[in-house]
Short mmCIF file of all heavy atoms in Angstrom, two decimals:
data_model
loop_
_atom_site.label_atom_id
_atom_site.label_comp_id
_atom_site.label_asym_id
_atom_site.label_seq_id
_atom_site.Cartn_x
_atom_site.Cartn_y
_atom_site.Cartn_z
N ASP A 132 11.66 -12.64 -24.79
CA ASP A 132 11.62 -13.93 -25.49
C ASP A 132 10.23 -14.64 -25.31
O ASP A 132 9.87 -15.42 -26.04
CB ASP A 132 12.65 -14.88 -24.76
CG ASP A 132 14.04 -14.53 -25.22
OD1 ASP A 132 14.18 -13.72 -25.99
OD2 ASP A 132 14.89 -15.02 -24.58
N LEU A 133 9.59 -14.31 -24.12
CA LEU A 133 8.27 -14.98 -23.76
C LEU A 133 7.12 -14.32 -24.44
O LEU A 133 6.02 -14.95 -24.43
CB LEU A 133 8.10 -14.93 -22.24
CG LEU A 133 8.88 -15.91 -21.41
CD1 LEU A 133 8.92 -15.53 -19.93
CD2 LEU A 133 8.28 -17.26 -21.58
N SER A 134 7.31 -13.11 -25.07
CA SER A 134 6.11 -12.40 -25.49
C SER A 134 6.14 -12.03 -26.91
O SER A 134 7.26 -11.94 -27.54
CB SER A 134 5.91 -11.11 -24.65
OG SER A 134 7.14 -10.33 -24.52
N ASP A 135 5.07 -11.88 -27.67
CA ASP A 135 5.05 -11.36 -28.85
C ASP A 135 4.41 -9.98 -29.09
O ASP A 135 4.06 -9.42 -30.30
CB ASP A 135 4.61 -12.30 -30.02
CG ASP A 135 3.26 -12.78 -29.65
OD1 ASP A 135 2.62 -12.12 -28.88
OD2 ASP A 135 2.80 -13.83 -30.21
N GLY A 136 4.14 -9.33 -27.96
CA GLY A 136 3.54 -7.90 -27.99
C GLY A 136 3.82 -7.17 -26.74
O GLY A 136 3.97 -7.79 -25.65
N CYS A 137 4.15 -5.90 -26.94
CA CYS A 137 4.30 -5.01 -25.78
C CYS A 137 3.92 -3.67 -26.15
O CYS A 137 4.58 -2.97 -27.00
CB CYS A 137 5.76 -5.08 -25.30
SG CYS A 137 5.95 -4.07 -23.78
N GLU A 138 2.65 -3.24 -25.60
CA GLU A 138 2.07 -2.14 -26.26
C GLU A 138 1.35 -1.23 -25.23
O GLU A 138 0.85 -1.70 -24.31
CB GLU A 138 0.94 -2.54 -27.26
CG GLU A 138 1.50 -3.20 -28.46
CD GLU A 138 0.35 -3.79 -29.44
OE1 GLU A 138 -0.79 -3.25 -29.36
OE2 GLU A 138 0.64 -4.69 -30.32
N TRP A 139 1.24 0.19 -25.55
CA TRP A 139 0.40 1.06 -24.82
C TRP A 139 -1.11 0.81 -25.30
O TRP A 139 -1.47 0.89 -26.45
CB TRP A 139 0.71 2.42 -25.01
CG TRP A 139 2.20 2.77 -24.50
CD1 TRP A 139 3.23 2.98 -25.27
CD2 TRP A 139 2.50 3.07 -23.21
NE1 TRP A 139 4.23 3.34 -24.41
CE2 TRP A 139 3.82 3.27 -23.11
CE3 TRP A 139 1.75 2.91 -21.90
CZ2 TRP A 139 4.51 3.56 -21.98
CZ3 TRP A 139 2.45 3.16 -20.77
CH2 TRP A 139 3.76 3.41 -20.84
N LYS A 140 -1.95 0.52 -24.21
CA LYS A 140 -3.33 0.42 -24.36
C LYS A 140 -4.07 1.62 -23.65
O LYS A 140 -3.77 1.70 -22.49
CB LYS A 140 -3.87 -0.91 -24.06
CG LYS A 140 -3.19 -2.03 -24.62
CD LYS A 140 -3.77 -2.30 -26.03
CE LYS A 140 -3.15 -3.59 -26.70
NZ LYS A 140 -3.49 -3.77 -28.05
N ASN A 141 -5.11 2.12 -24.22
CA ASN A 141 -5.86 3.08 -23.55
C ASN A 141 -6.59 2.43 -22.35
O ASN A 141 -7.15 1.37 -22.51
CB ASN A 141 -6.92 3.85 -24.57
CG ASN A 141 -7.60 5.07 -24.06
OD1 ASN A 141 -8.34 4.83 -23.01
ND2 ASN A 141 -7.43 6.02 -24.68
N VAL A 142 -6.69 3.03 -21.27
CA VAL A 142 -7.35 2.46 -20.07
C VAL A 142 -8.73 2.21 -20.17
O VAL A 142 -9.39 1.47 -19.56
CB VAL A 142 -7.04 3.24 -18.74
CG1 VAL A 142 -5.49 3.33 -18.40
CG2 VAL A 142 -7.61 4.54 -18.78
N HIS A 143 -9.36 2.96 -21.11
CA HIS A 143 -10.86 2.63 -21.39
C HIS A 143 -11.15 1.60 -22.29
O HIS A 143 -12.26 1.26 -22.55
CB HIS A 143 -11.54 4.10 -21.96
CG HIS A 143 -11.48 5.17 -20.83
ND1 HIS A 143 -12.05 5.10 -19.72
CD2 HIS A 143 -10.89 6.26 -21.02
CE1 HIS A 143 -11.79 6.22 -19.02
NE2 HIS A 143 -11.02 6.96 -19.79
N GLU A 144 -10.08 1.12 -22.98
CA GLU A 144 -10.28 0.07 -24.03
C GLU A 144 -9.33 -1.07 -23.84
O GLU A 144 -8.54 -1.45 -24.61
CB GLU A 144 -10.06 0.70 -25.43
CG GLU A 144 -11.05 1.76 -25.82
CD GLU A 144 -10.48 2.66 -26.87
OE1 GLU A 144 -9.40 2.36 -27.48
OE2 GLU A 144 -11.26 3.71 -27.13
N LEU A 145 -9.42 -1.63 -22.49
CA LEU A 145 -8.40 -2.81 -22.27
C LEU A 145 -8.95 -3.98 -22.91
O LEU A 145 -10.03 -4.39 -22.82
CB LEU A 145 -8.45 -2.98 -20.73
CG LEU A 145 -7.75 -1.79 -19.99
CD1 LEU A 145 -7.54 -2.35 -18.46
CD2 LEU A 145 -6.45 -1.42 -20.37
N PRO A 146 -7.80 -4.79 -23.30
CA PRO A 146 -8.19 -6.10 -23.76
C PRO A 146 -8.31 -7.14 -22.68
O PRO A 146 -8.20 -6.63 -21.50
CB PRO A 146 -6.88 -6.61 -24.59
CG PRO A 146 -5.84 -5.80 -24.00
CD PRO A 146 -6.54 -4.37 -23.51
N SER A 147 -8.78 -8.31 -22.82
CA SER A 147 -8.82 -9.31 -21.78
C SER A 147 -7.55 -9.58 -21.25
O SER A 147 -6.60 -9.80 -21.80
CB SER A 147 -9.50 -10.50 -22.31
OG SER A 147 -9.57 -11.53 -21.36
N LEU A 148 -7.46 -9.47 -19.72
CA LEU A 148 -6.28 -9.66 -19.02
C LEU A 148 -6.25 -11.03 -18.41
O LEU A 148 -7.17 -11.56 -17.90
CB LEU A 148 -5.97 -8.56 -18.06
CG LEU A 148 -5.91 -7.13 -18.51
CD1 LEU A 148 -5.68 -6.21 -17.51
CD2 LEU A 148 -4.85 -6.99 -19.66
N MET A 149 -4.95 -11.62 -18.29
CA MET A 149 -4.81 -13.00 -17.73
C MET A 149 -4.95 -12.88 -16.22
O MET A 149 -4.74 -11.84 -15.52
CB MET A 149 -3.58 -13.64 -18.11
CG MET A 149 -2.31 -12.98 -17.64
SD MET A 149 -0.77 -13.78 -18.20
CE MET A 149 0.30 -13.73 -16.89
N MET A 150 -5.17 -14.09 -15.59
CA MET A 150 -5.24 -14.36 -14.00
C MET A 150 -5.98 -13.12 -13.36
O MET A 150 -7.13 -12.87 -13.94
CB MET A 150 -3.77 -14.18 -13.47
CG MET A 150 -2.80 -15.37 -14.17
SD MET A 150 -1.29 -15.33 -13.36
CE MET A 150 -0.19 -15.95 -14.54
N ASP A 151 -5.46 -12.50 -12.37
CA ASP A 151 -6.17 -11.49 -11.65
C ASP A 151 -5.66 -10.14 -12.11
O ASP A 151 -5.60 -9.19 -11.35
CB ASP A 151 -5.95 -11.63 -10.15
CG ASP A 151 -4.54 -11.73 -9.59
OD1 ASP A 151 -3.60 -11.75 -10.54
OD2 ASP A 151 -4.43 -11.73 -8.45
N HIS A 152 -5.06 -10.04 -13.17
CA HIS A 152 -4.51 -8.76 -13.69
C HIS A 152 -5.38 -7.59 -13.83
O HIS A 152 -4.99 -6.48 -13.70
CB HIS A 152 -3.52 -8.98 -14.99
CG HIS A 152 -2.30 -9.74 -14.64
ND1 HIS A 152 -1.15 -9.64 -15.48
CD2 HIS A 152 -1.92 -10.55 -13.46
CE1 HIS A 152 -0.18 -10.39 -14.82
NE2 HIS A 152 -0.54 -10.85 -13.71
N GLU A 153 -6.64 -7.97 -14.16
CA GLU A 153 -7.62 -6.81 -14.30
C GLU A 153 -7.81 -6.21 -12.73
O GLU A 153 -7.84 -4.99 -12.52
CB GLU A 153 -8.96 -7.26 -14.74
CG GLU A 153 -9.95 -6.14 -15.09
CD GLU A 153 -11.19 -6.57 -15.79
OE1 GLU A 153 -11.12 -7.63 -16.56
OE2 GLU A 153 -12.05 -5.99 -15.42
#
Side-chain angles (χ1 to χ4, degrees):
Chain A
D132 289 350
L133 284 166
S134 52
D135 55 15
C137 183
E138 295 175 19
W139 291 107
K140 302 281 187 187
N141 193 300
V142 298
H143 296 297
E144 293 156 9
L145 290 190
S147 178
L148 299 181
M149 71 182 213
M150 302 183 208
D151 57 354
H152 284 203
E153 187 173 332

